C-alpha cells in the first residue's frame, strides 16, 4: 500500500507512535501561557467560575453574566434588560449540575437558579429556604448529587432535585454556626469536608453524620479548600500559605508559601502536567509536590491578562485561567518562542542563518543578532567605532568561514567580521543602494546576491558578474538543490542556471486552469528531487518536468487540503522523514511527503503569530527548524513535536426551520431524525465542534445524501442552509476539524424527512385515483354515446354522399354518353362525307369493286382503334398500321414471309379528324406497295411505314406520313400499277383538301411522303 493511501487518522497515529517510540529522550516540553481566543467572545472580563457539563459544553461565569459555549456560538445570560436570555442576577459565583443533568447556578444577588427545559432558560429555585438566600458565594456537589450552598449568612444543604433544602447546622449539630464564609469540599467516597470557624469537619449528607478533623487551622484564614485527586486535597490561605493533606488519614503531606515577601491570597489550585498550578491575587504560580514554587507568571514577565487570577479549569490538554481582565490559557508547546520580551531580540525577524561554527544569526528590522545558546539570549552585532553598518534593516544573511554578509532593505550589502565588528564596505558602487532579498554562497569563491529590481549578481574572485535579461528583474529567492541544480525565483518565473554557458534559462510553467496570476514567494528542492513552489494566496504547487523539455514544467497543487488553497507560503522545509514544515499566513503547517495534512499550529500553540515573514526560515545542521515573523521567531525540532490524535466531538446544537417564522430545535443531542412540513421553505443546521482551543479556526464539511453529489467544504462556516427541499428522505452528515487539523471521522448524521403537502400524500393520490376512475368512466360513457352519434351521422353522411356520387356519376355518364354520341355522330358524318366525296365516283362494278371493299375494310380497322378521351374521339394510328399491314399481307401476290414490315408510326393518339384521312392515305400507300411493288424472285424485301407529329413550328403541328419500299418502282411497273392511279389521286386529293403536300421519289424503290396540317 502506498503511504498516501493510508487514512489520515492512521497516518497521524503512526506519526505519533513513531516519534514517541523512536526517541526515548525528547526535549522538555514547555508550557505557554497566553490569552485565550474565547476571551474575545466574552464581554464580562472578570471570570468567576468555569464548568463543563455532561454534554461537553463550556459554561463561563463572570460578574456581568453567564456564557454558554456549545461549540457553535456563545449564548449570554444576564440580568440586563437588553439580554436575550435572562438571569435574576449577573454575578455568577458557582456552576454545577443537578441529578437530571440540568445546570444549577449560584448567583450573588439572585440566589440559586436552575435550567428548565420546558422554558428553554433559567428560573429561580422556588423552595422557601432557597428564596430566602439571594447572595450565594459558592456551590459544591457531592457524589450523590446533594448540594452545599454557601452564602454570607448561612450554609444550606439541598438534595439533587432541590426539593428538600435544610440549614447545614440543622443537619449537622457538630458544625458551629458562623457568619463568616464557609467552604466545602466533596470527596470521591461520598463525604464532604466543611470548613467553618477555623475547623475542618468531615460530613456525610446521606448518612447525616459529621465529625471534626484533627487539623487545627484557627491561626489561618483559609481562602481555598479543593480536592486535587483521590489522595490529595489542597488548602490555601489569605496569606499565601499552602498545605496538602491526605483526606483518608487526615495528615498534612506538605506545606509551603506562595511568596514569602508579600501577602498573597490563594484563590484556586489544580494539578496540571505534574505540578500544582496555584491562582492568587498576585499572579499564577507553579509548585512541585513539596509545594516549592517553581515558576511565577505575572504581568511583568508573561502575557497573563491580569495578576488577579480568580479560577482555574482543565479542558483536555489546556488549562483555562480566569482573571479580573479576561480569560487566558496555558498549554504545552513544542515551539520555543524568541521575542524582545524574553530574549532581547527585535521582534520583526526577516532572516535567519546558521554559521559554519553552528552560531545562529538573526536579521531583523533593527539590526543583526547572534543567538547565545547558553544564556538563551541574543547579542546584537555592533560595528566598531571606525566603521558602521549602512542600514539596520537586515533582510538576508550569509555566514562564511570568516565574515558575515548582510543584505539590507535599501542600502545594499555589508561584510562584517563577527569577532572584531569591523565592517568592510562593499566595493561595488552599483549595489550600494539596492534592496537585497537573498545572499547565497555556493562554494568558497562564488557568492550570489539576489536583489529587488536589479536582478542577480555573482561575486567571484573580487569581481562582479551581471546577467543580461535579468538586470531589472526582482529576484525573490535562490535555491540550490541537493543534486546541484541552482534555481532563481522571480515574482512570476523560475530560472535554471546552466553552468556550461554561465546563463540563466527561463523555464515554462503550466498551471491548472483557473490559476492565472500566480505570485511566487519561495522554492524548495529537496533530496527527493521534488520541486515545490510557495505562492501568495494560492498555497503550494509541485513541479513535474515535461518529457519534451528540461525547461518545461507542469504545476499541480501539492496538497488537496482546502486549508492551504488560499494561504500564502513563505518558507518550505523538509525534515529527516521527508515530511514538510511550512511557514504560512495561517501558522505553521505540517504535511506528509505526499501532501496529507498532519497538523496545523497557530498562535495559541506557542507561535509568534499566525502570519510569518517572507525569507525567514532555516533548518540547521542538527535538524532544528527556525521560522521568523513580525513578532519574533520560533525554534523547534520536528522529532520533538508530538500530536494529540484525540478527535473533537461534533454536535448539532441548533436547527432552525423557517416557514414564515423560525422554529428552533435546541435539545437535539438525542435526535436522529426530524420531519419538515411542506410549508417549511428553509432549514438551517448549526454545527458545533466541542474544541475550544481556537474555535474561530474550526473547520467543517458536510453532505446531504439525496441532494449533494459530494462532500462540501464549508471552511469555518458552521451554518448549513438548505432551501426548497423536495419531499423525500435525506441524510445529513457532517465532520469537523479543530484548529490543529484533526478531523472527527465519526461526525454527526441526521435523517431529514420532508413531508409532502396534503395534496401529495398517499390518501390524496387515492382520492385522485378514484376521481380519475370516475372521470374516465364518465368520459368513456360520454365518448361512447358521442361515437354512436358520430357513427350514425357518418353513416347518414356516407349515404347522402353515395347518393350524390351516384347522381353525379349518372350525370357524368349522361354527359359522357352525349359527348360520345355527338363525337360518333360527327365522325360518322365526316366518314360518310369522306366516302361520298372520294369514293362516290368510283365504279362499283368490274375491277373497282375489290378496291372499294379494301377501302371499307380499312375504315373498319380504323373504327377498332378509336378511343374516347378528354371528350374527344382519338385514334391509335400505330395499332391501326399493324392491323392494316396484316390484312394487306394476306392479299399480296408475293409470299408474305419474304416481306419485312417496319412500323415506325407514333404511339401518340391522334384526333379522329386527322386520323381518318391519314388512315385512308396510309391504306392507299400500303395497298399500292404490298400488292404491286414486290416480286417472288427476290428473297428479302421490306416496307417501312412512319407517322409522326412535327412540332418544330411554334404555331402549327404537322403530321408527317411516309411509306418506303425497296420494290420495283413506278416506272418498271407502270402498266401493272396504272390501275392504282386512282389510289394515288385519292392521296393527293385528300392532302390538297387539308392543305398538305405529297412527294414521291424513286431510289431503290419508292418513297411516298405526305404532310398534313393538324387542326
Amino acid at each position: 500500500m502506498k503511504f498516501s493511501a493510508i487514512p489520515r487518522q492512521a497516518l497521524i497515529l503512526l506519526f505519533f507512535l513513531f516519534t514517541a517510540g523512536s526517541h526515548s529522550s525528547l526535549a522538555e516540553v514547555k508550557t505557554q501561557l497566553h490569552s485565550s481566543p474565547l476571551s474575545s467572545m466574552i464581554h464580562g472580563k472578570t471570570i468567576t467560575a468555569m464548568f463543563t457539563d455532561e454534554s461537553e459544553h463550556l459554561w463561563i461565569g463572570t460578574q456581568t453574566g453567564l456564557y454558554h459555549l456549545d461549540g457553535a456560538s456563545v449564548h449570554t445570560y444576564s440580568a440586563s434588560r437588553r439580554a436575550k436570555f435572562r438571569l435574576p442576577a449577573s454575578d455568577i459565583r458557582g456552576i454545577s449540575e443537578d441529578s437530571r443533568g440540568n445546570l444549577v447556578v449560584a448567583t450573588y444577588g439572585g440566589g440559586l437558579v436552575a435550567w428548565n427545559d420546558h422554558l428553554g432558560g433559567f428560573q429561580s429555585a422556588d423552595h422557601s429556604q432557597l428564596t430566602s438566600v439571594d447572595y450565594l458565594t459558592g456551590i459544591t456537589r457531592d457524589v450523590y448529587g446533594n448540594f452545599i450552598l454557601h452564602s454570607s449568612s448561612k450554609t444550606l444543604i439541598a438534595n439533587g432535585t432541590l426539593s428538600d433544602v435544610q440549614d447545614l447546622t440543622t443537619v449537622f449539630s457538630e458544625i458551629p454556626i458562623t457568619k463568616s464564609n464557609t467552604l466545602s469540599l466533596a470527596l470521591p467516597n461520598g463525604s464532604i469536608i466543611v470548613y467553618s470557624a477555623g475547623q475542618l469537619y468531615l460530613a456525610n449528607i446521606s448518612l447525616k453524620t459529621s465529625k471534626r478533623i484533627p487539623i487545627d487551622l484557627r491561626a489561618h484564614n483559609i481562602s481555598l479548600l479543593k480536592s486535587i485527586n483521590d489522595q490529595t486535597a489542597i488548602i490555601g490561605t489569605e496569606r499565601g500559605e499552602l498545605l496538602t493533606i491526605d483526606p483518608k488519614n487526615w495528615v498534612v503531606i506538605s506545606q509551603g508559601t506562595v511568596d514569602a515577601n508579600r501577602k498573597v491570597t490563594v484563590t484556586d489550585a489544580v494539578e496540571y502536567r505534574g505540578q500544582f498550578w496555584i491562582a492568587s491575587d498576585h499572579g499564577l504560580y507553579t509548585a512541585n509536590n513539596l509545594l516549592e514554587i517553581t515558576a511565577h507568571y505575572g504581568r511583568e514577565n508573561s502575557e497573563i491578562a491580569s495578576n488577579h487570577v480568580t479560577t482555574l479549569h482543565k479542558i483536555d490538554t489546556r488549562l483555562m485561567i480566569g482573571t479580573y481582565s479576561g480569560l487566558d490559557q496555558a498549554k504545552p508547546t513544542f515551539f520555543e518562542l524568541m521575542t524582545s520580551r524574553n530574549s532581547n531580540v527585535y521582534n520583526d525577524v526577516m532572516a535567519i542563518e546558521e554559521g559554519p561554527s553552528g552560531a545562529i544569526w538573526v536579521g531583523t528590522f533593527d539590526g543583526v543578532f547572534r543567538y547565545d545558546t547558553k544564556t538563551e539570549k541574543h547579542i546584537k552585532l555592533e560595528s566598531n567605532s571606525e566603521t558602521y553598518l549602512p542600514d539596520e534593516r537586515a533582510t538576508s544573511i550569509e555566514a562564511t568561514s570568516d565574515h558575515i554578509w548582510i543584505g539590507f532593505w535599501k542600502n545594499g550589502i555589508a561584510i562584517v567580521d563577527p569577532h572584531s565588528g569591523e565592517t568592510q564596505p562593499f566595493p561595488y558602487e552599483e549595489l550600494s543602494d539596492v534592496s537585497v532579498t537573498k545572499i547565497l554562497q555556493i562554494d568558497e569563491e562564488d557568492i550570489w546576491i539576489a536583489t529587488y529590481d536589479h536582478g542577480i549578481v555573482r561575486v567571484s574572485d573580487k569581481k562582479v558578474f551581471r546577467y543580461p535579461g535579468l538586470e531589472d528583474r526582482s529576484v525573490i529567492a535562490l535555491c540550490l538543490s541537493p543534486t546541484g541544480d541552482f534555481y532563481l525565483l522571480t515574482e512570476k518565473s523560475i530560472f535554471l542556471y546552466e553552468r556550461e554557458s554561465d546563463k540563466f534559462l527561463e523555464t515554462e510553467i503550466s498551471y491548472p486552469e483557473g490559476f492565472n496570476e500566480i505570485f511566487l514567494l519561495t522554492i524548495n528542492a529537496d533530496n527527493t528531487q521534488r520541486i515545490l513552489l510557495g505562492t501568495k494566496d494560492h498555497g503550494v504547487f509541485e513541479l513535474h518536468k515535461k518529457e519534451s523539455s528540461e525547461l518545461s514544467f507542469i504545476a499541480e497543487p501539492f496538497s488537496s487540503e482546502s486549508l492551504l488553497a488560499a494561504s500564502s507560503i513563505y518558507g518550505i522545509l523538509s525534515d529527516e522523514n521527508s515530511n514538510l514544515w511550512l511557514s504560512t499566513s495561517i501558522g505553521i503547517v505540517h504535511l506528509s511527503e505526499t501532501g496529507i495534512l498532519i497538523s496545523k499550529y497557530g498562535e495559541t500553540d506557542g507561535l509568534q503569530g499566525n502570519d510569518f515573514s517572507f525569507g525567514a526560515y532555516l533548518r540547521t545542521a542538527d535538524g532544528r527548524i527556525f521560522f521568523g515573523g513580525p513578532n519574533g521567531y520560533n525554534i523547534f525540532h520536528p522529532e520533538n513535536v508530538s500530536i494529540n490524535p484525540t478527535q473533537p466531538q461534533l454536535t448539532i446544537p441548533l436547527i432552525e426551520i423557517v416557514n414564515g417564522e423560525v422554529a428552533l430545535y435546541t435539545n437535539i443531542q438525542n435526535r436522529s431524525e426530524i420531519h419538515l412540513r411542506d410549508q417549511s421553505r428553509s432549514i438551517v443546521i448549526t454545527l458545533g465542534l466541542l474544541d475550544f482551543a481556537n474555535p474561530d479556526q474550526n473547520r467543517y464539511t458536510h453532505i446531504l445524501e439525496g441532494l449533494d453529489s459530494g462532500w462540501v467544504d464549508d471552511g469555518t462556516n458552521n451554518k448549513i442552509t438548505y432551501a426548497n427541499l423536495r419531499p423525500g428522505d435525506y441524510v445529513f452528515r457532517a465532520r469537523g476539524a479543530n484548529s490543529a487539523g484533526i478531523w472527527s471521522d465519526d461526525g454527526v448524521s441526521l435523517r431529514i424527512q420532508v413531508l409532502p403537502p396534503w395534496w401529495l400524500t398517499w390518501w390524496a393520490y387515492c382520492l385522485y385515483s378514484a376521481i380519475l376512475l370516475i372521470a374516465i368512466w364518465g368520459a368513456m360513457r360520454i365518448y361512447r354515446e358521442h361515437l354512436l352519434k358520430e357513427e350514425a351521422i357518418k353513416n347518414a353522411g356516407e349515404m347522402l354522399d353515395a347518393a350524390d356520387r351516384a347522381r353525379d356519376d349518372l350525370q357524368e355518364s349522361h354527359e359522357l354518353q352525349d359527348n360520345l354520341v355527338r363525337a360518333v355522330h360527327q365522325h360518322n358524318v365526316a366518314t360518310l362525307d369522306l366516302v361520298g366525296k372520294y369514293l362516290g365516283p368510283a365504279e362499283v362494278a368490274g375491277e373497282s369493286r375489290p378496291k372499294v371493299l379494301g377501302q371499307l375494310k380499312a375504315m373498319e380497322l380504323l373504327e377498332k382503334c378509336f378511343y374516347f378521351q378528354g371528350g374527344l374521339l382519338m385514334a391509335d394510328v400505330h395499332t391501326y398500321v399493324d392491323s392494316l399491314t396484316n390484312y394487306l399481307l394476306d392479299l399480296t401476290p408475293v409470299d408474305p414471309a419474304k416481306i419485312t414490315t417496319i412500323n415506325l408510326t407514333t404511339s401518340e393518339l391522334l384526333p379522329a379528324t386527322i386520323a381518318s384521312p391519314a388512315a385512308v392515305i396510309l391504306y392507299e400507300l400500303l395497298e399500292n406497295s404490298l400488292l404491286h411493288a414486290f416480286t417472288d424472285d427476290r428473297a428479302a424485301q421490306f416496307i417501312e411505314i412512319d407517322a409522326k407529329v412535327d412540332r418544330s413550328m411554334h404555331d402549327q403541328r404537322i403530321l408527317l406520313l411516309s411509306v418506303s419500299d425497296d420494290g420495283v418502282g413506278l416506272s418498271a411497273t407502270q402498266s401493272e400499277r396504272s390501275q392504282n392511279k386512282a389510289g394515288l389521286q385519292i392521296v393527293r386529293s385528300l392532302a390538297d383538301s387539308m392543305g398538305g403536300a405529297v412527294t414521291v421519289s424513286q431510289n431503290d424503290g419508292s418513297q411516298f411522303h405526305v404532310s398534313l396540317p393538324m387542326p
Side-chain angles (χ1 to χ4, degrees):
M1 179 183 292
K2 293 183 179 180
F3 187 69
S4 60
I6 299 176
R8 183 174 177 275
Q9 211 57 40
L11 171 66
I12 293 174
L13 182 59
L14 287 173
F15 175 84
F16 175 74
L17 293 175
F18 174 79
T19 54
S22 60
H23 305 282
S24 58
S25 177
L26 297 181
E28 178 186 356
V29 178
K30 297 183 178 181
T31 301
Q32 186 205 25
L33 189 148
H34 56 84
S35 176
S36 169
L38 302 179
S39 189
S40 61
M41 304 178 183
I42 301 170
H43 301 295
K45 294 303 181 183
T46 301
I47 310 299
T48 57
M50 287 183 279
F51 181 78
T52 301
D53 63 19
E54 63 179 10
S55 299
E56 302 298 325
H57 293 186
L58 180 62
W59 298 80
I60 300 176
T62 71
Q63 287 186 342
T64 57
L66 178 66
Y67 296 85
H68 175 206
L69 288 79
D70 58 9
S73 55
V74 180
H75 307 282
T76 305
Y77 301 83
S78 74
S80 172
R81 293 180 179 179
R82 293 177 297 177
K84 182 178 180 180
F85 306 105
R86 296 274 296 171
L87 281 178
S90 297
D91 192 351
I92 310 301
R93 295 302 179 93
I95 308 171
S96 187
E97 280 181 319
D98 64 15
S99 58
R100 294 165 296 189
N102 292 324
L103 208 69
V104 178
V105 181
T107 70
Y108 193 79
L112 190 70
V113 296
W115 180 265
N116 188 311
D117 274 335
H118 299 291
L119 297 177
F122 289 98
Q123 67 176 14
S124 298
D126 56 3
H127 195 280
S128 58
Q129 283 276 19
L130 295 175
T131 56
S132 64
V133 180
D134 290 334
Y135 295 92
L136 297 176
T137 58
I139 182 171
T140 303
R141 181 188 177 193
D142 67 10
V143 296
Y144 301 114
N146 300 304
F147 294 104
I148 301 94
L149 306 174
H150 303 278
S151 73
S152 57
S153 59
K154 65 173 70 174
T155 300
L156 301 177
I157 296 176
N159 64 356
T161 61
L162 303 178
S163 60
D164 182 13
V165 182
Q166 301 179 60
D167 194 294
L168 175 69
T169 57
T170 302
V171 179
F172 305 109
S173 57
E174 296 86 353
I175 300 177
I177 300 174
T178 178
K179 291 186 178 181
S180 61
N181 288 341
T182 59
L183 300 173
S184 60
L185 165 65
L187 297 176
N189 60 7
S191 299
I192 62 172
I193 298 176
V194 179
Y195 170 73
S196 179
Q199 296 291 334
L200 294 176
Y201 296 88
L202 181 65
N204 190 300
I205 298 175
S206 299
L207 301 177
K208 293 183 170 46
T209 61
S210 64
K211 65 177 181 179
R212 190 175 72 85
I213 298 172
I215 298 177
D216 190 1
L217 298 173
R218 285 176 293 178
H220 308 277
N221 294 320
I222 294 180
S223 57
L224 174 68
L225 180 60
K226 191 168 184 179
S227 175
I228 297 297
N229 51 48
D230 293 347
Q231 292 81 30
T232 308
I234 191 167
I235 297 173
T237 73
E238 295 178 355
R239 294 186 298 185
E241 298 162 317
L242 296 172
L243 292 88
T244 54
I245 62 173
D246 182 353
K248 294 181 180 179
N249 302 315
W250 306 114
V251 295
V252 176
I253 300 174
S254 57
Q255 300 183 52
T257 302
V258 173
D259 194 333
N261 299 321
R262 57 184 169 183
K263 180 183 177 182
V264 176
T265 300
V266 179
T267 56
D268 203 355
V270 296
E271 185 181 31
Y272 175 66
R273 302 192 66 232
Q275 288 189 313
F276 294 119
W277 289 68
I278 302 160
S280 76
D281 58 355
H282 282 79
L284 187 64
Y285 296 85
T286 60
N288 57 22
N289 290 335
L290 300 177
L291 294 182
E292 296 170 341
I293 301 301
T294 58
H296 171 244
Y297 300 90
R299 290 287 298 162
E300 63 277 7
N301 69 343
S302 71
E303 297 183 11
I304 195 168
S306 171
N307 282 332
H308 199 130
V309 182
T310 56
T311 183
L312 304 173
H313 183 65
K314 289 192 294 185
I315 302 179
D316 297 330
T317 60
R318 288 170 292 114
L319 177 64
M320 309 301 295
I321 304 167
T323 74
Y324 266 21
S325 299
L327 188 64
D328 294 332
Q329 69 178 20
K331 64 179 296 185
T333 179
F334 308 99
F335 304 95
E336 190 173 359
L337 176 62
M338 297 296 176
T339 67
S340 59
R341 196 166 190 172
N342 64 9
S343 62
N344 301 329
V345 67
Y346 188 75
N347 280 350
D348 202 347
V349 176
M350 302 295 294
I352 307 173
E353 176 64 17
E354 182 182 24
S357 61
I360 301 299
W361 297 90
V362 181
T364 74
F365 249 42
D366 189 33
V368 178
F369 296 80
R370 180 174 62 84
Y371 176 57
D372 189 334
T373 57
K374 294 181 180 179
T375 63
E376 295 187 350
K377 300 293 183 180
H378 292 80
I379 302 171
K380 188 173 183 179
L381 178 65
E382 300 287 352
S383 59
N384 59 29
S385 58
E386 298 180 357
T387 59
Y388 64 93
L389 295 176
D391 199 343
E392 290 288 332
R393 299 165 296 178
T395 55
S396 182
I397 302 174
E398 179 68 16
T400 65
S401 57
D402 52 359
H403 289 91
I404 303 296
W405 290 62
I406 305 172
F408 296 102
W409 179 257
K410 278 294 181 184
N411 295 307
I413 299 168
I415 306 173
V416 182
D417 186 332
H419 304 292
S420 64
E422 180 181 355
T423 301
Q424 299 180 10
F426 194 65
Y428 309 104
E429 287 295 330
E430 63 268 26
L431 299 179
S432 60
D433 59 350
V434 300
S435 298
V436 179
T437 57
K438 181 66 177 177
I439 305 174
L440 180 65
Q441 182 181 25
I442 291 184
D443 50 42
E444 293 184 358
E445 296 183 355
D446 290 344
I447 299 262
W448 297 84
I449 302 170
T451 69
Y452 197 85
D453 287 341
H454 287 78
I456 182 75
V457 175
R458 178 167 62 93
V459 179
S460 180
D461 194 22
K462 298 183 180 181
K463 295 180 181 179
V464 173
F465 299 90
R466 306 296 295 268
Y467 289 86
L470 293 173
E471 294 92 340
D472 57 349
R473 294 288 190 108
S474 294
V475 181
I476 303 299
L478 303 175
C479 176
L480 181 65
S481 72
T483 59
D485 292 331
F486 183 33
Y487 296 96
L488 179 151
L489 192 70
T490 68
E491 296 173 343
K492 298 289 183 65
S493 304
I494 300 176
F495 292 81
L496 178 64
Y497 179 63
E498 187 179 59
R499 286 177 171 79
E500 292 79 7
S501 63
D502 191 25
K503 293 181 180 179
F504 283 94
L505 307 178
E506 187 171 5
T507 64
E508 178 186 355
I509 304 176
S510 300
Y511 292 98
E513 185 178 355
F515 292 88
N516 298 321
E517 294 295 328
I518 301 294
F519 192 98
L520 305 178
L521 293 177
T522 187
I523 182 172
N524 173 272
D526 57 20
N527 52 14
T528 64
Q529 298 185 350
R530 173 181 54 195
I531 303 175
L532 299 177
L533 292 181
T535 69
K536 185 179 186 301
D537 300 331
H538 288 88
V540 185
F541 288 89
E542 182 176 7
L543 298 185
H544 302 277
K545 284 186 179 180
K546 293 183 179 179
E547 296 180 357
S548 58
S549 173
E550 288 290 321
L551 296 176
S552 297
F553 295 90
I554 298 175
E556 296 179 350
F558 177 64
S559 176
S560 60
E561 286 291 334
S562 60
L563 185 71
L564 287 175
S567 302
S568 295
I569 313 300
Y570 304 115
I572 305 174
L573 295 172
S574 57
D575 59 21
E576 294 180 354
N577 300 316
S578 298
N579 293 325
L580 297 174
W581 297 84
L582 283 61
S583 61
T584 73
S585 57
I586 57 172
I588 292 178
V589 176
H590 185 191
L591 298 177
S592 73
E593 63 178 342
T594 56
I596 299 175
L597 177 66
I598 296 176
S599 189
K600 184 185 77 72
Y601 305 94
E603 185 176 2
T604 59
D605 297 296
L607 303 187
Q608 56 83 33
N610 289 326
D611 199 13
F612 283 81
S613 294
F614 154 77
Y617 55 90
L618 168 70
R619 180 187 171 190
T620 61
D622 61 1
R624 290 177 300 162
I625 289 179
F626 292 67
F627 284 130
N631 301 306
Y633 70 93
N634 291 103
I635 310 171
F636 65 96
H637 200 296
E639 294 180 351
N640 298 338
V641 180
S642 61
I643 301 169
N644 179 10
T646 303
Q647 298 181 16
Q649 180 183 351
L650 186 66
T651 65
I652 303 178
L654 179 66
I655 295 178
E656 301 171 69
I657 299 176
V658 182
N659 54 351
E661 59 184 26
V662 179
L664 301 179
Y665 290 80
T666 55
N667 187 20
I668 60 173
Q669 286 82 359
N670 298 322
R671 279 182 177 265
S672 60
E673 182 176 357
I674 62 171
H675 303 276
L676 302 182
R677 300 291 178 183
D678 64 280
Q679 62 267 37
S680 301
R681 295 191 297 271
S682 177
I683 179 173
V684 181
I685 302 174
T686 301
L687 301 174
L689 193 70
L690 299 178
D691 187 296
F692 304 106
N694 202 344
D696 286 341
Q697 294 187 21
N698 292 342
R699 297 161 58 212
Y700 306 89
T701 181
H702 79 276
I703 184 174
L704 185 63
E705 295 177 358
L707 180 64
D708 295 329
S709 58
W711 285 84
V712 180
D713 187 353
D714 302 301
T716 58
N717 174 45
N718 67 332
K719 289 185 178 293
I720 314 301
T721 302
Y722 285 99
N724 301 321
L725 288 176
R726 294 181 178 275
D729 293 330
Y730 304 88
V731 178
F732 176 81
R733 301 185 189 278
R735 297 168 59 229
N738 58 20
S739 57
I742 306 299
W743 285 93
S744 57
D745 289 341
D746 294 337
V748 293
S749 65
L750 180 70
R751 290 189 69 249
I752 301 175
Q753 185 180 34
V754 182
L755 301 177
W758 66 266
W759 58 86
L760 295 178
T761 57
W762 65 269
W763 55 265
Y765 281 113
C766 292
L767 179 61
Y768 300 154
S769 300
I771 295 174
L772 181 61
L773 290 175
I774 295 173
I776 292 174
W777 176 80
M780 290 180 64
R781 183 173 180 179
I782 295 172
Y783 184 65
R784 191 180 298 111
E785 294 177 356
H786 173 73
L787 288 178
L788 293 175
K789 182 178 180 180
E790 288 292 325
E791 187 69 20
I793 295 174
K794 180 180 178 182
N795 292 336
E798 289 178 350
M799 293 174 66
L800 292 175
D801 291 341
D804 291 339
R805 286 196 300 273
R807 185 168 55 253
D808 293 341
D809 291 343
L810 182 60
Q811 181 66 28
E812 291 177 0
S813 177
H814 289 166
E815 294 176 356
L816 183 61
Q817 186 176 8
D818 290 342
N819 292 334
L820 180 60
V821 170
R822 187 178 301 110
V824 171
H825 173 72
Q826 293 174 352
H827 171 68
N828 291 336
V829 171
T831 302
L832 293 175
D833 180 67
L834 182 64
V835 172
K837 183 176 181 179
Y838 298 104
L839 301 183
E843 296 180 359
V844 179
E847 296 178 354
S848 298
R849 187 172 182 274
K851 187 171 185 65
V852 172
L853 294 176
Q855 292 172 341
L856 292 177
K857 182 63 177 181
M859 298 303 293
E860 178 185 352
L861 293 176
L862 178 63
E863 289 292 329
K864 295 180 180 180
C865 296
F866 278 120
Y867 300 92
F868 189 73
Q869 183 178 16
L872 298 175
L873 199 62
M874 308 292 288
D876 184 356
V877 177
H878 186 88
T879 303
Y880 166 74
V881 169
D882 284 340
S883 300
L884 184 62
T885 53
N886 291 332
Y887 166 72
L888 292 175
L889 285 173
D890 292 336
L891 301 179
T892 182
V894 182
D895 184 4
K898 294 181 179 181
I899 301 173
T900 300
T901 60
I902 301 172
N903 184 1
L904 299 180
T905 57
T906 180
S907 58
E908 180 181 354
L909 299 181
L910 299 178
T913 55
I914 191 68
S916 294
V920 172
I921 292 173
L922 288 173
Y923 168 76
E924 293 295 340
L925 295 177
L926 285 174
E927 189 266 347
N928 175 62
S929 294
L930 290 174
L931 296 182
H932 306 287
F934 302 113
T935 60
D936 284 330
D937 58 348
R938 298 175 61 187
Q941 303 171 80
F942 80 91
I943 183 171
E944 180 182 284
I945 309 98
D946 189 9
K948 58 185 177 181
V949 179
D950 182 10
R951 292 182 172 83
S952 61
M953 299 178 66
H954 296 292
D955 55 349
Q956 181 67 54
R957 292 183 302 165
I958 304 297
L959 179 62
L960 301 177
L961 304 175
S962 66
V963 176
S964 303
D965 62 54
D966 61 347
V968 294
L970 291 176
S971 58
T973 59
Q974 185 66 36
S975 59
E976 298 177 9
R977 302 177 65 177
S978 61
Q979 60 179 348
N980 200 36
K981 274 188 174 183
L984 186 58
Q985 290 177 355
I986 292 173
V987 171
R988 291 185 183 278
S989 176
L990 287 175
D992 291 341
S993 66
M994 297 181 66
V998 178
T999 59
V1000 179
S1001 61
Q1002 297 287 326
N1003 185 13
D1004 297 330
S1006 301
Q1007 294 85 34
F1008 300 92
H1009 300 279
V1010 180
S1011 61
L1012 302 176
M1014 296 181 65

